[in-house]
Amino acid sequence: MARIIIIEEDMELCVLLEKVLGNLGHSVTSCDGRAEFIQTLRSSSAFDLALIDVTIGGGKSLQTLLHLQKHDLPVLVVTDPQSDIEAVAIELGADGCLVKPLSNEVIGDVVSAVIERSKDTSVEIEVDGLSLRAEQRLVAIGAKQVKLSTTECALLEQLLLSAGSVAKKETLLTTVVGQCLELFIQLLSRKLGRQILSVGDEGFLFVV
């Protein structure tokens, strides 16, 4: 069971999310705005995952996403189809997107994937002057430290395990929610200042 907070102004959607996640055995808390959210969220230990609808709150919802990063809390954002806000949310630290209209199966699968991923914190990898510590979701590059989201951490782990050879796309897709793989690859490359090359339909190469 996970403790999930939903920040949602659309009550119909909120009820759907509460029902689906409750039926999966999760403990769900809902709030309908930033002020109520800040009152509810006391510490990073209060919840295991947050869901934010960015289609209604717009800039306020993105501000809430930034606030959540301070609490080291995995976040999924709810978006409309073909919304360009998906890339912005990922840039700000979201772990993935749920695209409307939502189905019960997709909600359950995506939420379960992010929660399970956040529990795997024992990994430590060092490759070519870069050190990944999954427990802190930190990458050390010399004296520089870079904070990663849960999804970025899982993706980088797979890339480092295959460093110098092609990490298969089907393997990398298991670490990413939805169709956001290339967005996460581009973001990781910029954050780390390292080349991650696309190898056609085969996958991606972390250059060492």
Side-chain angles (χ1 to χ4, degrees):
M1 181 189 78
R3 299 157 299 173
I4 300 173
I5 184 168
I6 301 172
I7 304 150
E8 174 59 72
E9 296 179 26
D10 180 343
M11 293 310 299
E12 184 176 346
L13 178 56
C14 190
V15 169
L16 169 65
L17 291 170
E18 287 177 343
K19 181 178 179 181
V20 172
L21 297 173
N23 287 341
L24 291 172
H26 300 304
S27 172
V28 182
T29 300
S30 299
C31 54
D32 63 3
R34 177 175 168 80
E36 184 181 350
F37 152 74
I38 291 174
Q39 287 181 346
T40 304
L41 186 63
R42 299 302 181 188
S43 69
S44 60
S45 62
F47 299 100
D48 302 302
L49 176 69
L51 273 67
I52 306 176
D53 189 343
V54 295
T55 61
I56 296 179
K60 291 187 297 181
S61 296
L62 293 176
Q63 287 177 359
T64 302
L65 174 57
L66 282 171
H67 186 84
L68 283 166
Q69 301 314 302
K70 300 176 184 177
H71 291 269
D72 210 23
L73 185 64
V75 181
L76 287 171
V77 296
V78 179
T79 69
D80 285 326
Q82 301 176 337
S83 171
D84 57 1
I85 205 167
E86 179 177 294
V88 177
I90 289 173
E91 184 82 29
L92 294 178
D95 286 284
C97 301
L98 287 164
V99 180
K100 298 178 180 178
L102 303 179
S103 71
N104 294 6
E105 182 178 4
V106 168
I107 294 170
D109 288 348
V110 169
V111 167
S112 296
V114 174
I115 290 171
E116 287 303 312
R117 191 179 304 148
S118 65
K119 293 177 181 177
D120 185 12
T121 61
S122 59
V123 175
E124 292 192 13
I125 303 175
E126 292 190 16
V127 174
D128 194 31
L130 184 151
S131 176
L132 171 65
R133 299 194 301 276
E135 185 172 3
Q136 293 85 21
R137 301 213 311 264
L138 280 176
V139 175
I141 310 166
K144 177 184 176 182
Q145 289 190 333
V146 180
K147 186 70 173 180
L148 302 179
S149 69
T150 300
T151 297
E152 289 170 339
C153 189
L155 179 58
L156 181 59
E157 176 188 340
Q158 293 302 320
L159 288 166
L160 294 181
L161 288 173
S162 301
S165 59
V166 177
K168 301 297 183 183
K169 183 172 287 187
E170 55 266 31
T171 300
L172 297 179
L173 283 170
T174 65
T175 70
V176 174
V177 172
Q179 304 301 311
C180 308
L181 177 58
E182 291 191 4
L183 287 174
F184 277 108
I185 290 286
Q186 292 167 11
L187 181 56
L188 266 180
S189 183
R190 291 201 307 273
K191 277 189 171 184
L192 303 178
R194 304 293 290 267
Q195 278 191 305
I196 305 175
L197 303 178
S198 174
V199 185
D201 293 330
E202 188 177 358
F204 291 88
L205 173 68
F206 187 90
V207 178
V208 295

